[in-house]
Amino acid sequence: MPKSKAAAGKKKTKKSASKLSQKLAPSAKPKRRLFTGIKTLFTLDRAFRKAARRVTADDLDRIDGAAFVSENGRIVWVGKEKDLPREFKNAIKSEDLQGAVVLPAFVESHTHLIYAGNRAAEFERRNQGESYQSIAKSGGGILATLIPTREASEKELTAIGQERAERFLKQGVSTIEVKSGYALTAEGEMKMLRAAGAIRRARIVRTFLGAHAIPKEFKSAEAYIDYLLEEALPQLKKEGLACRADIFIEQGYFSKELGKKYLSRFREEGFDLAVHADQLSRCGGAELAVELKARSAEHLIQINDEDIRKLSASEVTCVLLPTADLYMNCAYPPARKLIDQGARVALATDLNPGTSPSSDVALVGVLARIYMKMSLPETIVAYTLGGAYALGLEKELGSISKGKLADFVVLEGEMEELFLEAGRQPVARLYREGERLL
Ligand SMILES: [Zn+2]
């Protein structure tokens, strides 16, 4: 083979392999497993075939008396236990799930999991009537997180992140998206992403959010964006530290125009895109997400009917974060309008020290059900398949379908008890790629 052709082939293989490993960090060993004794299995396969749009209770795809088989961490057969093919009955490691209800593991598609310090005092001051501006002036707000996160070592950040990841695992979450964005220097952001990459057990999907705020060291948003593209982007690529890029489009942060410049560059380099869009004011974030074919647009409190129409007609997944709206004491996003017009929706905690210091998955669903009028099947699909779509992992996660990874939860109650009791998801066990984590 001519040298140039061989080199080109090698390069291509390396690129696709590194992208997959960033996304999934596969832990599968060659193993075949049979899971039986399932009272009810909700596969969500029908929701998957509908691309998680306009889902109803039927789309949870219920199988009573179910079983399924995984091989090397992937589902190879799903059905009624009595229909199990003979080839899977013998010479297989079998687990009896003892009459439990089973459904896909949850996907947490928006967190700021890695940060040091806390903003507890600020929360108290805000509730006692002090304005956000006044708190920010006296060193509060994002700066209050920036300093301790810059000072923390990578090892310390991993330890903090691991502890928080364990809280998600306990609630049946196997996959967690983690954003950078609390160092706001090229090296500090890399440190955050390396720290996230060292978290064990949970599957971590890393997102570069260097454009979270404008650090004091820069005179303008433009200058900071140029710095990120020149200094951070090459390092990110070199080390393969993230596969997604995100930006906060908001007044006083980054404009739609600047967002377009920044995200377009990341897209050229093969990154998936996400946008913190229209949270505090309508600034064109949702429009930009549609225009650039981003995987997701997040928050979406201030969108209007035109934005809703565009989002619904697009492939963008709308990631809704009602715990942040609770803490911000603001309106909730128009989930009903989005869903009714055919938009795909995900739900997540937005865990962060300022506006959503909570990793309570059940609470997210409770708020979505009460204030956003989402049905329980819509809430379940949003926290599984919707999250998988937001992360570009819909072919791997979010439903118990042939060919997908065997990530699932075994409940200690009925499906109807999910997203009911804040602080508690009735999850007895969690499996990732057929291996028990919990
Ligand atoms: Zn966020």
Side-chain angles (χ1 to χ4, degrees):
M1 192 185 281
K3 200 180 170 192
S4 60
K5 203 175 170 188
K10 199 177 165 193
K11 196 179 170 196
K12 197 178 173 194
T13 313
K14 197 179 166 194
K15 190 179 176 188
S16 56
S18 78
K19 187 155 187 181
L20 187 74
S21 65
Q22 282 165 37
K23 281 189 170 178
L24 296 179
S27 68
K29 295 171 201 114
K31 275 178 193 160
R32 194 185 255 188
R33 287 176 189 256
L34 167 64
F35 298 95
T36 61
I38 301 165
K39 181 176 78 174
T40 306
L41 174 67
F42 293 98
T43 68
L44 276 63
D45 192 51
R46 271 182 64 158
F48 177 51
R49 282 182 272 132
K50 287 172 75 174
R53 298 179 193 270
R54 290 196 178 94
V55 294
T56 66
D58 285 347
D59 299 319
L60 297 181
D61 224 344
R62 171 187 186 127
I63 306 174
D64 292 323
F68 60 92
V69 179
S70 74
E71 198 172 280
N72 297 337
R74 285 187 190 272
I75 310 281
V76 290
W77 184 86
V78 189
K80 282 200 177 280
E81 193 172 330
K82 65 178 177 56
D83 299 332
L84 181 72
R86 186 175 292 174
E87 59 176 300
F88 294 128
K89 283 182 186 161
N90 303 318
I92 209 172
K93 190 175 175 192
S94 174
E95 248 181 278
D96 184 345
L97 299 179
Q98 297 169 343
V101 174
V102 171
L103 69 162
F106 300 110
V107 177
E108 172 65 38
S109 57
H110 183 138
T111 81
H112 304 255
L113 190 87
I114 299 279
Y115 60 85
N118 69 63
R119 309 233 292 262
E122 193 178 308
F123 182 63
E124 173 69 358
R125 284 162 71 185
R126 215 163 64 210
N127 291 327
Q128 294 307 311
E130 199 173 337
S131 76
Y132 187 81
Q133 282 81 358
S134 143
I135 293 168
K137 252 188 184 166
S138 60
I142 188 168
L143 264 183
T145 301
L146 211 66
I147 293 162
T149 305
R150 282 179 176 178
E151 284 171 357
S153 71
E154 190 181 315
K155 226 174 162 187
E156 285 165 343
L157 292 177
T158 299
I160 292 167
Q162 186 69 49
E163 206 181 301
R164 293 186 185 127
E166 294 296 329
R167 286 183 219 157
F168 281 113
L169 290 167
K170 281 190 188 117
Q171 301 175 84
V173 173
S174 69
T175 304
I176 309 169
E177 187 259 13
V178 178
K179 299 175 196 295
S180 68
Y182 285 121
L184 308 185
T185 64
E187 196 38 56
E189 294 289 299
M190 302 306 133
K191 176 181 74 177
M192 288 187 73
L193 293 167
R194 280 187 216 111
I199 291 172
R200 293 169 298 104
R201 288 162 46 81
R203 182 185 294 104
I204 302 293
V205 177
R206 291 177 290 180
T207 303
F208 177 67
L209 179 60
H212 195 191
I214 305 151
K216 273 190 191 157
E217 294 86 350
F218 288 84
K219 283 201 183 95
S220 67
E222 289 82 355
Y224 181 54
I225 288 291
D226 287 341
Y227 162 78
L228 290 178
L229 293 176
E230 281 162 30
E231 300 290 328
L233 178 55
Q235 277 198 59
L236 278 171
K237 273 181 62 193
K238 198 172 144 201
E239 281 191 59
L241 289 173
C243 55
R244 313 170 77 244
D246 193 351
I247 184 167
F248 188 30
I249 304 288
E250 188 58 65
Q251 284 175 33
Y253 293 83
F254 301 97
S255 67
K256 185 186 171 191
E257 291 67 33
L258 215 47
K260 189 172 177 177
K261 174 182 170 181
Y262 168 87
L263 291 176
S264 300
R265 271 298 305 284
F266 275 93
R267 194 176 59 178
E268 277 167 30
E269 300 293 345
F271 284 70
D272 279 346
L273 307 181
V275 185
H276 273 70
D278 307 289
Q279 181 183 7
L280 309 174
S281 62
R282 185 171 175 267
C283 285
E287 278 182 329
L288 183 64
V290 172
E291 193 184 323
L292 295 181
K293 297 188 166 59
R295 288 278 182 197
S296 59
E298 340 241 326
H299 288 290
L300 303 172
I301 315 300
Q302 307 293 342
I303 51 174
N304 66 15
D305 286 348
E306 180 62 11
D307 297 326
I308 291 171
R309 192 189 60 71
K310 283 184 183 166
L311 285 164
S312 304
S314 78
E315 288 299 321
V316 176
T317 299
C318 303
V319 180
L320 310 180
L321 307 158
T323 322
D325 310 326
L326 174 74
Y327 278 98
M328 294 292 277
N329 196 16
C330 70
Y332 290 85
R336 232 6 314 139
K337 278 189 174 179
L338 284 163
I339 292 170
D340 291 343
Q341 291 193 34
R344 182 168 46 237
V345 161
L347 287 166
T349 60
D350 192 14
L351 169 64
N352 74 69
T355 60
S356 189
S358 166
S359 48
D360 189 340
V361 168
L363 176 61
V364 172
V366 168
L367 295 171
R369 295 176 75 186
I370 296 175
Y371 295 109
M372 291 147 67
K373 302 296 170 206
M374 286 174 66
S375 70
L376 180 57
E378 285 167 348
T379 303
I380 291 171
V381 172
Y383 231 119
T384 49
L385 194 53
Y389 266 102
L391 301 180
L393 295 174
E394 69 275 10
K395 291 187 179 120
E396 305 279 2
L397 296 168
S399 68
I400 299 177
S401 310
K402 201 176 159 186
K404 283 197 178 184
L405 295 171
D407 281 28
F408 59 94
V409 289
V410 178
L411 300 190
E412 57 186 13
E414 298 298 323
M415 180 268 281
E416 290 77 7
E417 293 170 51
L418 286 165
F419 303 107
L420 173 69
E421 189 180 331
R424 177 184 169 265
Q425 282 288 65
V427 169
R429 294 182 187 188
L430 168 66
Y431 290 77
R432 173 184 168 185
E433 293 168 36
E435 303 287 335
R436 190 170 169 185
L437 286 183
L438 191 75

